Amino acid sequence: MARLEGLSFKKERIIVLTGGRAVKISALSVAFSFLVFSLFLYLEGANPVEAYLNIFSFALAPELGLPATLHRGLFMLFSALAFIVVYRAGIWNVGMEGQFYLGTIGAFAVAFAFPNLPSPVLIPMMLASAALFGAGYGAITGFLKGKLDVNEVVVALMLNNIAFWLVYLLTVGGPWAGSIASSSRPLPEPARAPRIWETPFTSLLAAALAVILYIFLKYTPLGYQIKVYGGNPNVARHVGISSLKVSVLVMALGGAISGLAGYHMWAGDAAFYLIPRPEAYKAVGDMTYWGIIIGLICLLNPLASIPTSIFIGAITVGSTVLVRRFRLPFGLDILFLGIITISFVAFQFFYNYRIKMRRG
Amino acid sequence: MWPFIARSLEISTILLLAAIGELLDERSGVLNVGIEGIMLLGAAAGFIVGDAVGGFVGLLVGAAVGGLIGFLHGVFSISLKVDQVVSGMGIWLFAMGFVTYWADRYSGPLDTKIPKIYDLSPMFPIALLTVFLIWFVLAKTHIGLKIRAVGENPFAAEVSGVDFIKIRYLCVVVGGALGGLAGASLIISYLGAWSHLPTKGLGWVALALVMFSLWRPLILLGGSLLFGFLWQLAISPETIYAGIPAPLPVLRMIPFIMTILFLVVISTETFRKKWALAKPESLGIPFFKE
């Protein structure tokens, strides 16, 4: 109980959290992070309102930032979906980075092996290979979790680091090394992603996956089993749902989705069409972690992740304006994402409590 | 040979400081998966202050920042009852963002260095002392008993008159400070320069070390020495044996592969029983006091 100017505040325990309240809390936490970020902008000497207007007008203008916003945003959608499907089963997937690298390896291996195949054959093969590589890598974590209850967060983080060096092994001085220092050979012409509405077709694929995942989780028996397992693994075991099956399944699914991003990222942007030098592909790999926060803010709803991912993409792309026009330091976009994360965590308080205000 | 050993002992020092802090957290029942983030923030603060003022001040500030973030984790997970993993993840992701923004603009070598004794960082004996101290406190003192009681069953501890909130806060702040100190000594003593996200997964290895130490400080010491050696071997194998046939990236994978193998081994049937006994019973569970 606290008192302030004749008002008294009291916290009250909430037992059942309603969906509407959870949505409100998510929205408020994002709104709050805008306020906090304004403070940083102000400290850096920029007018926050002007800065926000610049960020979003650049990021959403079709002739300026929009293609990049969609490409980057929907890249993070792959990661968000990979996180969501796994967390529905109560398991953390922080291995999107490694699964994305493995997807990259899968896609490029096919493209370099069959550079002369026509696009309609080659691209589906690359996508299938990317998904398969990612799924296999994710399944390692899932298998260890389901079979021996090994901590999935630590295993996935270790696998991410291993995958980073696997890509390094192939590109830097390795069999895929190109003529540009430290990056891979370019993708053959037919491997590059065709564009629909100024964006690679894989952007639409990501959105379609979100819809499919929504239906899968909500309306299929398997989706229901995942949900039951996520609610209480012990209950799930008693009704005959196998831990091993669920954890391998969700991690393989998550891995497959993450793996597809390995095609989307490099084959979908004319600035790449290759695996860039390690610092550059690592910077892209680091973006996959924002899938965690997208998934959490969207309360594990795949459909809500579509606009949220595009919104986060707009922040990353639009923030480049801050560097160019406002001469602000690099990294402000990542700071903004960090603030959204920590503010979301702080707002979790309202999942358990509400504050009652009374006069008197 | 000696320079290599001194370097690997320094990595052991960093792992040991971070891991013993986490061990203290977990003994009181609070899981903090954000050590990598705490190390990053401690490293950044240590780097910036160390560059401006001096190495030892940098180390202290790094520890203070770590303690502050530990406190923040306490506020989230103890007072606000946020899921401990969500809070830890949040701290880690926030740290990645904040540190990139804050410290990357100063990327480059550090001007000051702390003096070393025969190439060995003075942080190594300090870390050893810390481990001994924490072992002593946990095993032999009254407050250690309280910490362990809170970690096993906060409700029972509360009934017998232990203020579990105070105990848990104490542990997360001290644990966080040790994580921050680990990050600061990584930058000031080991690397001597700032580069983008310099911890490179060390915090996660430290977290794994706590898991397979069965929450015992002395096993933790052994694990840290082993992984310090492996980590340094992966970075500069040529100092041990010039003709190692494996290419650099493969060597770099070794500490991570070994971590997974260790985790798998301690999760097998034989070890699992010991593990379940040693694990603080209330680890990771938020506790509602009505």
Side-chain angles (χ1 to χ4, degrees), chain A residues 13 44 92 94 148 150-151 153 158 161-162 165-166 168 289 332 334-335 338 345-346 348-349 352-353, chain B residues 76 80-82 85 89-90 92-94 97-98 101 105 204 208 211 249 252-253 256-257 263 267 288 290:
Chain A
R13 177 84 195 273
E44 289 288 350
W92 283 86
V94 294
L148 294 168
V150 184
N151 185 294
V153 175
M158 298 300 127
N161 282 297
I162 294 168
W165 291 109
L166 274 176
Y168 193 104
Y289 292 102
L332 272 164
I334 310 182
L335 172 70
V345 173
Q348 297 262 301
F349 167 72
N352 293 319
Y353 293 100
Chain B
F76 288 150
L80 300 186
K81 313 284 194 295
V82 176
V85 180
M89 287 284 175
W92 171 48
L93 292 174
F94 169 74
F98 187 76
Y101 154 76
R105 63 182 101 168
W204 294 101
M211 288 173 182
R252 287 292 178 93
M253 293 175 199
F256 304 115
I257 295 173
L263 281 178
S267 303
F288 289 90
E290 298 301 333

Side-chain angles (χ1 to χ4, degrees), chain B residues 20 23 27 131 134-135 138 215-222:
Chain B
I20 197 72
L23 184 140
R27 269 302 182 86
V131 171
I134 288 191
W135 167 79
L138 282 173
W215 294 274
R216 292 202 191 112
L218 295 178
I219 303 182
L220 192 66
L221 176 61

